[in-house]
Amino acid sequence: GAVVSQHPSRVICKSGTSVKIECRSLDFQATTMFWYRQFPKQSLMLMATSNEGSKATYEQGVEKDKFLINHASLTLSTLTVTSAHPEDSSFYICSARTEVETQYFGPGTRLLVL
Amino acid sequence: GQQVMQIPQYQHVQEGEDFTTYCNSSTTLSNIQWYKQRPGGHPVFLIQLVKSGEVKKQKRLTFQFGEAKKNSSLHITATQTTDVGTYFCSFGNEKLTFGTGTRLTIIP
């Protein structure tokens, strides 16, 4: 099946710093990638839809200036959490959609902001 | 907007017992997908149902889409310890909305 990678898998940072998370589709081209956030014991919440070559579409309540998304190529999307605070600590997961519209998820990135 | 509720929220079963999780929507769904997320892992796609009344099987797993396309179920026969995890239903074409999930734990 399709493989999606994420880097880094874990990151610990100080409050106020910015963190960049990469999402790559390894064996297919993904015109659309999605970014989710999952708090402990909760469901996945869609943050934004990332389309190659265009601006991301953010879900209601998600600050676009805080969560910067760049989809520079058909295999790479990045999420930058700017000026991170402890409440941003979460499990961030990306997914990429194949041509048959199945979404494949990356392994996720655990962010801990101290 | 559309909301999807899953029940139960948690389920503890003895190994070898059956398990079922239900997904209920307030509105008609065009399709429904099921995902499994192991503890500490990421969601893994299991199946997609599209047709009214559709039933699909994957070994010990049976997936069903209701006639009115407002509910779905996932049934696991004779659970094994490898079945541990949280099972999510989701729906959507362009973007997915996930249900609340059912966390399954197995007592060996």
Side-chain angles (χ1 to χ4, degrees):
Chain A
V3 179
V4 177
S5 70
Q6 266 185 255
H7 178 80
S9 59
R10 294 176 180 270
V11 58
I12 301 173
C13 68
K14 294 182 179 180
S15 183
T17 60
S18 295
V19 176
K20 179 185 281 189
I21 303 170
E22 292 185 350
C23 177
R24 294 181 185 272
S25 56
L26 298 184
D27 51 0
F28 66 99
Q29 293 183 333
T31 54
T32 305
M33 290 184 174
F34 304 87
W35 287 96
Y36 296 84
R37 181 168 52 184
Q38 185 179 35
F39 292 106
K41 298 184 179 181
Q42 294 188 22
S43 187
L44 284 79
M45 297 299 296
L46 180 66
M47 297 176 66
T49 302
S50 170
N51 292 295
E52 187 266 337
S54 64
K55 291 183 179 180
T57 303
Y58 290 81
E59 295 300 300
Q60 190 174 8
V62 178
E63 299 176 54
K64 62 179 181 180
D65 293 332
K66 180 169 182 63
F67 298 100
L68 301 178
I69 292 173
N70 187 328
H71 196 151
S73 75
L74 288 173
T75 59
L76 173 64
S77 176
T78 61
L79 167 68
T80 301
V81 183
T82 62
S83 186
H85 288 95
E87 57 265 30
D88 298 324
S89 299
S90 188
F91 189 42
Y92 291 87
I93 311 173
C94 72
S95 72
R97 193 172 66 186
T98 67
E99 291 180 352
V100 294
E101 298 188 350
T102 298
Q103 283 195 31
Y104 291 92
F105 286 81
T109 297
R110 296 198 180 276
L111 171 63
L112 176 61
V113 184
L114 302 176
Chain B
Q2 289 178 310
Q3 291 186 341
V4 172
M5 296 298 295
Q6 271 184 262
I7 54 171
Q9 187 176 3
Y10 299 95
Q11 185 78 59
H12 313 284
V13 300
Q14 199 82 31
E15 186 176 9
E17 292 182 341
D18 292 355
F19 159 78
T20 306
T21 172
Y22 301 90
C23 193
N24 299 301
S25 169
S26 57
T27 58
T28 301
L29 304 173
S30 59
N31 58 57
I32 199 160
Q33 300 91 30
W34 284 93
Y35 287 82
K36 176 185 178 182
Q37 185 176 23
R38 291 181 181 273
H42 62 281
V44 174
F45 174 78
L46 295 177
I47 209 158
Q48 174 168 277
L49 304 172
V50 179
K51 300 177 182 177
S52 169
E54 189 172 14
V55 178
K56 287 187 176 180
K57 291 189 176 184
Q58 289 180 353
K59 297 183 180 179
R60 294 179 296 104
L61 277 60
T62 303
F63 305 85
Q64 187 167 8
F65 203 5
E67 293 289 343
K69 301 180 75 173
K70 286 187 176 182
N71 55 69
S72 180
S73 65
L74 159 58
H75 179 83
I76 302 178
T77 303
T79 55
Q80 301 175 358
T81 54
T82 53
D83 296 326
V84 165
T86 301
Y87 293 84
F88 292 99
C89 63
S90 68
F91 67 90
N93 290 318
E94 285 293 313
K95 56 185 182 181
L96 296 180
T97 299
F98 281 81
T100 48
T102 296
R103 177 170 295 194
L104 172 64
T105 55
I106 308 287
I107 305 168

